[in-house]
């Protein structure tokens, strides 16, 4: 059942994409295909490897999952184990094994413009998190998100954006090995302001960046055979992410097969969570910090110019290191091996990115498998 929940939205998105392509193919002018300024901008950014970084929330979603699992584990220790007087030698060995499905569907409308290109974008993004049921803490829940964004491309190689978002986090926290049947429940509703930026600086390098600020209302409930506690609190978040992405072809590196690209990626993110009460934080403070940096080498099929349909596979390997994590009191694993397999399908105003990402902690305390699918349609 869990596998079906991942595949059905992807299949529907892909079917809609192909159906739209057939319709679009019948509406081309008699003189041939004439791309709009917006399509030229999207192709320019796509050829530089910036589209997936700009529109995918895979890294953002994985960050929230890691922080949530850490807070859930620390909260369980504080409320259920320490609170009930369970001695540390009797505590279980904490591990984190999560499967995360990030499946956004977005529509982008190009607006009339005297110069450059202007867009409105609507993104509806369900996120599903499923933890392992054979570990001490099992988070299971959903985090649907809606985004309304305005983008402006003054030149084909630059894109600026601003947006509003609404996000609902709802997770049930199960503790399969708990002797007193402890259950947890976490809920949060948040409105956010977004800033987006992408630019191709040279034939070899480009940058994609994002800033998010959210104001949210949250609650956390924990109960077992002996007690029940609920706390309501404010939780606001500031999130920043940047990726510096390179593009090199067989003309630059002779070892690459013709038609393939090497994309070295250097990225980092940072999040600070603010609380209106210190008791809502596992640190008993007014804020918590998280940050990571990563390097990846990505190899992918090169996108050719033109509106024709293309299938562009990719794979990547990399390393990630956390430089800040205030809430990993029970799940400390600061270094990760990264691997991914992806496929982009592009044609005319359509783009579909499907990617599998693996993040495996070097100390084997944490492992996450993330499926992200980004369907983008420009009209």
């Amino acid at each position: 059942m869990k596998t079906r929940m991942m595949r059905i939205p992807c299949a529907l998105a892909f079917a809609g994409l192909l159906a739209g392509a057939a319709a679009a193919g019948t509406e081309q002018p008699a003189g041939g295909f004439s791309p709009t300024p917006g399509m030229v901008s999207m192709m320019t950014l796509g050829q530089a490897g910036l589209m997936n970084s700009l529109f995918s929330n895979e890294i953002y979603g994985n960050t929230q999952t890691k922080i949530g699992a850490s807070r859930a584990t620390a909260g369980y220790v504080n409320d259920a184990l320490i609170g009930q007087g369970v001695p540390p030698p009797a505590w279980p060995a904490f591990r984190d094994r999560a499967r995360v499905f990030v499946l956004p569907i977005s529509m982008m409308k190009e607006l009339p413009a005297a110069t450059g290109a202007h867009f409105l974008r609507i993104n509806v993004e369900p996120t599903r998190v499923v933890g392992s049921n054979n570990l001490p803490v099992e988070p299971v829940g959903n985090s649907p998100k809606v985004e309304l964004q305005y983008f402006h491309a003054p030149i084909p190689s630059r894109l600026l954006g601003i947006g509003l978002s609404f996000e609902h986090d709802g997770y049930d926290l199960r503790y399969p090995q708990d002797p007193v049947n402890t259950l947890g429940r976490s809920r949060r509703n948040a409105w956010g302001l977004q800033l987006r930026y992408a630019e191709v600086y040279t034939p070899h390098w480009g940058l994609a960046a994002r800033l998010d600020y959210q104001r949210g209302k949250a609650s956390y409930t924990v109960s077992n055979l002996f007690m029940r506690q609920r706390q309501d609190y404010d939780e606001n978040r500031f999130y920043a992410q940047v990726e510096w992405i390179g593009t090199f072809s067989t003309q630059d590196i002779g070892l690459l097969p013709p038609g393939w690209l090497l994309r070295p990626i250097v990225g980092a993110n940072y999040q600070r969570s603010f609380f209106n009460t210190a008791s809502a934080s596992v640190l008993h403070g007014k804020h918590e910090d998280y940050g990571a940096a990563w390097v990846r080498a990505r190899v992918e099929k090169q996108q050719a110019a033109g509106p024709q349909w293309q299938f562009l596979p990719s794979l990547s390997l990399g390393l990630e290191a956390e430089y800040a994590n205030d809430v990993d009191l029970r799940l400390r694993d600061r270094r990760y091996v990264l691997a991914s397999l992806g496929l982009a399908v592009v044609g005319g105003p359509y783009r579909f990115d499907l990617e599998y990402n693996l993040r495996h902690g070097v100390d084997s305390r944490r492992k996450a498998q993330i499926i992200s699918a980004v369907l983008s349609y420009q009209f």
Side-chain angles (χ1 to χ4, degrees):
M1 182 63 68
K2 295 171 184 175
T3 301
R4 290 188 192 131
M5 291 180 68
M6 173 196 54
R7 289 180 177 171
I8 288 174
C10 291
L12 290 176
F14 191 74
L17 186 151
L18 294 180
T26 64
E27 295 174 0
Q28 294 180 6
F33 181 79
S34 180
T36 66
M39 292 173 66
V40 174
S41 177
M42 293 298 102
M43 179 168 288
T44 301
L45 295 168
Q47 289 175 334
L50 304 183
M51 291 295 294
N52 192 42
S53 180
L54 186 67
F55 290 140
S56 172
N57 282 328
E58 179 264 320
I59 297 175
Y60 170 83
N62 179 64
T63 297
Q64 308 315 314
T65 301
K66 288 172 68 175
I67 294 174
S70 295
R71 299 190 79 235
T73 302
Y76 170 60
V77 171
N78 294 339
D79 297 331
L81 298 182
I82 296 178
Q84 300 300 315
V86 179
W91 295 359
F94 294 107
R95 295 288 187 271
D96 179 19
R97 298 290 186 269
R99 287 166 290 170
V100 184
F101 308 110
V102 187
L103 306 171
I105 298 176
S106 68
M107 300 183 68
M108 206 165 186
K109 171 65 175 176
E110 185 173 358
L111 305 175
T115 60
H118 300 258
F119 308 91
L120 281 178
R121 179 175 182 260
I122 298 176
N123 182 47
V124 179
E125 180 168 315
T127 298
R128 175 74 173 172
V129 177
V130 181
S132 177
N133 59 9
N134 61 352
L135 294 177
V137 180
E138 179 193 1
V140 177
N142 299 284
S143 183
K145 186 175 186 177
V146 178
E147 299 171 308
L148 176 62
Q149 300 165 326
Y150 167 77
F151 287 95
H152 172 53
I155 56 177
S157 59
R158 181 184 303 153
L159 192 65
L160 308 171
I162 187 170
L164 298 174
S165 68
F166 175 77
E167 183 175 325
H168 170 76
D169 302 327
Y171 293 97
D172 293 328
L173 308 171
R174 305 167 185 170
Y175 309 95
Q177 302 175 19
D178 185 75
V180 293
N181 298 329
T182 298
L183 296 174
R185 175 172 292 183
S186 175
R187 299 290 185 266
R188 179 175 178 270
N189 293 319
W191 292 92
L193 176 66
Q194 306 174 325
L195 296 177
R196 299 289 185 266
Y197 169 70
E199 183 162 358
V200 182
Y201 290 107
T202 73
H204 292 303
W205 292 101
L207 182 140
R210 60 185 288 175
L211 294 175
D212 295 77
Y213 178 73
Q214 293 184 350
R215 297 187 63 87
K217 298 285 187 179
S219 67
Y220 174 68
T221 303
V222 60
S223 62
N224 57 36
L225 295 176
F226 304 104
M227 62 90 173
R228 185 180 188 278
Q229 298 178 355
R230 175 188 169 107
Q231 183 176 27
D232 297 295
Y233 55 94
D234 295 341
E235 181 186 348
N236 304 327
R237 296 174 183 171
F238 170 79
Y239 178 85
Q241 177 185 311
V242 62
E243 285 195 308
W244 183 250
I245 301 172
T247 302
F248 298 89
S249 68
T250 186
Q251 296 175 345
D252 307 299
I253 303 175
L255 296 177
L256 286 173
W260 286 79
L261 300 174
L262 171 65
R263 298 197 193 275
I265 301 171
V266 180
N269 68 353
Y270 170 78
Q271 176 167 308
R272 170 163 284 194
S273 301
F274 303 88
F275 304 94
N276 67 324
T277 173
S279 61
S281 167
V282 297
L283 300 176
H284 301 291
K286 287 298 185 76
H287 61 78
E288 298 170 351
D289 291 335
Y290 173 88
W294 55 88
V295 293
R296 281 192 276 185
R298 181 184 179 98
V299 179
E300 63 182 57
K301 185 71 173 176
Q302 184 175 9
Q303 180 180 352
Q308 68 274 15
W309 284 96
Q310 303 173 59
F311 294 83
L312 311 173
S314 66
L315 60 92
S316 75
L317 293 173
L319 296 172
E320 179 182 275
E322 296 176 353
Y323 61 84
N325 191 338
D326 286 345
V327 296
D328 65 345
L329 306 177
R330 311 298 173 185
L331 288 171
R332 182 174 293 272
D333 206 341
R334 289 294 182 96
R335 296 166 298 166
Y336 295 83
V337 176
L338 311 177
S340 73
L341 289 173
L343 176 67
V345 183
V346 298
Y350 302 89
R351 182 178 180 96
F352 179 66
D353 290 275
L354 176 64
E355 192 165 68
Y356 167 80
N357 279 272
L358 172 66
R359 281 179 163 81
H360 198 295
V362 172
D363 296 328
S364 296
R365 292 190 180 92
R366 310 196 76 159
K367 174 184 175 182
Q369 300 179 80
I370 307 104
I371 297 290
S372 63
V374 184
L375 174 62
S376 303
Y377 169 52
Q378 176 189 329
F379 63 100

